[in-house]
């Protein structure tokens, strides 16, 4: 595991700090007064429905494997920011 972390560190490019306030992006929310909020909400609901429909077409073992893969990818990306 230590060798993997060392290899990950070697692959990480330095991040340039441009002094931007990244806190302004989290969480990214659409204001209630936005004229596009309704349409974007409808699209988000439609996307969630399509994702559920797509996922239901896989066998349970395949779904589990996909979840494990996504979790591993998320962990890898998260670890990149720690080192």
């Amino acid at each position: 595991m230590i060798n993997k972390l060392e290899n990950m560190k070697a692959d990480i490019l330095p991040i340039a700090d441009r002094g931007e306030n990244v806190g302004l992006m989290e969480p990214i929310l659409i204001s209630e007064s936005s004229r596009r909020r309704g349409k974007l909400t409808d699209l988000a609901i439609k996307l969630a429905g399509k994702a559920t429909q797509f996922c239901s077409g896989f066998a349970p073992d395949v779904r589990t494997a996909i979840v494990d893969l996504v979790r591993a990818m998320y962990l890898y990306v998260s670890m990149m920011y720690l080192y």
Side-chain angles (χ1 to χ4, degrees):
M1 180 71 174
I2 292 174
N3 287 338
K4 286 183 180 181
L5 290 176
E6 289 174 4
N7 289 340
M8 285 174 41
K9 286 183 197 178
D11 291 338
I12 298 172
L13 299 174
I15 299 172
D17 183 0
R18 291 178 270 178
E20 296 151 322
N21 183 359
V22 295
L24 294 174
M25 294 190 305
E26 294 186 21
I28 297 176
L29 299 173
I30 302 163
S31 73
E32 290 185 31
S33 62
S34 173
R35 62 189 171 103
R36 295 185 176 97
R37 183 180 172 104
K39 182 162 177 103
L40 289 171
T41 300
D42 291 344
L43 287 171
I45 292 169
K46 186 175 180 179
L47 177 62
K50 295 271 186 187
T52 301
Q53 186 179 30
F54 177 71
C55 185
S56 68
F58 293 113
D61 290 343
V62 174
R63 283 196 302 259
T64 301
I66 292 171
V67 167
D68 291 342
L69 174 63
V70 171
R71 187 175 291 128
M73 290 170 25
Y74 177 76
L75 177 62
Y76 176 79
V77 171
S78 297
M79 294 294 288
M80 287 176 49
Y81 291 106
L82 294 176
Y83 295 96

